């Protein structure tokens, strides 16, 4: 299975995306599962800026 990461990147900060990108969730699964996780994250994102630690990289 593939490993997926859902990121939050401010639209006004695309030039600084590597600095401002925030991990919302990580998962292993199919492309369909990753797409569902993205949709869920977009609908429930609380708009706070947080950086979650990445495990296993």
């Amino acid at each position: 299975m593939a490993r997926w990461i859902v990121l939050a990147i401010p639209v006004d900060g695309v030039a600084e995306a590597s600095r401002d990108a925030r991990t919302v969730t990580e998962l292993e699964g199919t492309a369909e599962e990753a797409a569902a996780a993205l949709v869920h994250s977009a609908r429930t994102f609380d708009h706070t800026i947080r950086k979650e630690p990445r495990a296993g990289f």
Side-chain angles (χ1 to χ4, degrees):
M1 297 235 169
R3 186 173 186 123
W4 301 88
I5 300 173
V6 176
L7 300 174
I9 302 173
V11 292
D12 60 340
V14 173
E16 301 293 331
S18 63
R19 184 186 62 153
D20 293 335
R22 301 291 184 247
T23 300
V24 176
T25 190
E26 296 184 39
L27 66 136
E28 288 189 24
T30 65
E32 291 80 16
E33 291 169 326
L38 173 62
V39 169
H40 175 74
S41 296
R43 289 183 177 160
T44 60
F45 187 63
D46 63 5
H47 303 287
T48 59
I49 296 177
R50 66 183 186 272
K51 188 169 187 175
E52 297 181 10
R54 297 171 91 182
F57 281 112

